[in-house]
Amino acid sequence: DAEITQSPRHKITETGRQVTLACHQTWNHNNMFWYRQDLGHGLRLIHYSYGVQDTNKGEVSDGYSVSRSNTEDLPLTLESAASSQTSVYFCASSEGWERGADTQYFGPGTRLTVL
Amino acid sequence: AQSVTQLGSHVSVSEGALVLLRCNYSSSVPPYLFWYVQYPNQGLQLLLKYTTGATLVKGINGFEAEFKKSETSFHLTKPSAHMSDAAEYFCAVSGFTGANSKLTFGKGITLSVRP
């Protein structure tokens, strides 16, 4: 069955370190998204991609970067981790044919703690 | 610009009682509307969505929602709550193209079901 996976599921790091969170989907979807989930804020969009070599900034992109070198993967990099980036991170993907009407399929999440 | 308001952060119902979770949206373009559910320690999954056509939308697990343009609402209902419905529920809005084609989530509502 097609799926979307994230690794690691849990990560503890120190302030100032570079951290990369992996996202891999086997749906062959064009679109991929990264969100962070914080209490009282719901999900907020960090970065998104509509295809290979395409990346775009979302609502809360400062301090994060992504690159899309193939269809299956969209890794999220925290250039220099800060305590404010302690959060649960979700990756999602969608086909891309219906744009705004697409159903997004979510990974299980990565819980990141920055000490 | 688009936004979603989910009033209150927690709803508690008895098993067998009606579930009503409220969602109001703001959008400068015709909206696409979604309800996603998140079970503990899992990613989000789609419950139902409204794109075009019939304004009463039926989803999985007996949930339904009605798009009311005049009230800018998309409330989620289920006639009889089950213990397995305990989860966090997110309403989201998007539009057809451009900046509006990305999902904007509400802050979420936690549903508790009492035996």
Side-chain angles (χ1 to χ4, degrees):
Chain A
D1 284 347
E3 60 178 356
I4 180 166
T5 57
Q6 295 183 235
S7 61
R9 294 294 311 278
H10 301 270
K11 175 77 176 179
I12 299 174
T13 192
E14 295 177 345
T15 302
R17 288 190 179 268
Q18 185 181 80
V19 177
T20 297
L21 308 183
C23 175
H24 179 80
Q25 54 100 359
T26 59
W27 295 93
N28 200 33
H29 284 166
N30 291 319
N31 299 348
M32 296 185 73
F33 308 84
W34 273 104
Y35 297 90
R36 60 178 289 174
Q37 182 179 25
D38 304 288
L39 203 61
H41 289 279
L43 276 79
R44 292 180 291 174
L45 183 63
I46 305 172
H47 281 287
Y48 60 100
S49 168
Y50 287 150
V52 176
Q53 302 300 333
D54 176 75
T55 61
N56 305 279
K57 293 181 179 180
E59 179 188 359
V60 290
S61 60
D62 286 350
Y64 303 94
S65 64
V66 294
S67 63
R68 185 97 179 265
S69 59
N70 59 51
T71 301
E72 295 80 18
D73 299 290
L74 186 70
L76 177 71
T77 297
L78 286 68
E79 305 294 345
S80 177
S83 58
S84 60
Q85 295 177 308
T86 292
S87 186
V88 181
Y89 291 85
F90 287 99
C91 180
S93 69
S94 68
E95 281 187 335
W97 298 112
E98 295 183 285
R99 269 302 164 93
D102 274 350
T103 295
Q104 292 190 17
Y105 297 85
F106 285 79
T110 293
R111 184 174 296 275
L112 177 67
T113 302
V114 182
L115 301 176
Chain B
Q2 54 197 24
S3 65
V4 170
T5 301
Q6 294 184 253
L7 288 178
S9 60
H10 185 244
V11 170
S12 180
V13 301
S14 297
E15 192 173 19
L18 171 71
V19 176
L20 171 60
L21 303 181
R22 298 179 186 275
C23 172
N24 289 90
Y25 70 91
S26 172
S27 177
S28 57
V29 298
Y32 299 136
L33 294 158
F34 304 77
W35 277 98
Y36 281 84
V37 61
Q38 183 182 29
Y39 298 104
N41 299 312
Q42 294 185 26
L44 281 71
Q45 59 181 278
L46 182 72
L47 266 181
L48 50 79
K49 67 179 179 181
Y50 168 79
T51 55
T52 59
T55 57
L56 181 63
V57 181
K58 295 186 185 298
I60 61 172
N61 301 336
F63 285 93
E64 62 181 38
E66 186 170 11
F67 169 55
K68 293 187 176 181
K69 184 179 179 180
S70 61
E71 298 178 8
T72 61
S73 69
F74 191 57
H75 302 330
L76 182 70
T77 60
K78 181 174 180 178
S80 177
H82 192 272
M83 297 296 291
S84 61
D85 295 326
E88 189 159 16
Y89 292 80
F90 293 93
C91 183
V93 64
S94 69
F96 179 65
T97 60
N100 294 309
S101 67
K102 297 176 294 300
L103 279 178
T104 298
F105 286 89
K107 294 182 179 181
I109 297 176
T110 300
L111 175 67
S112 299
V113 182
R114 304 185 300 272

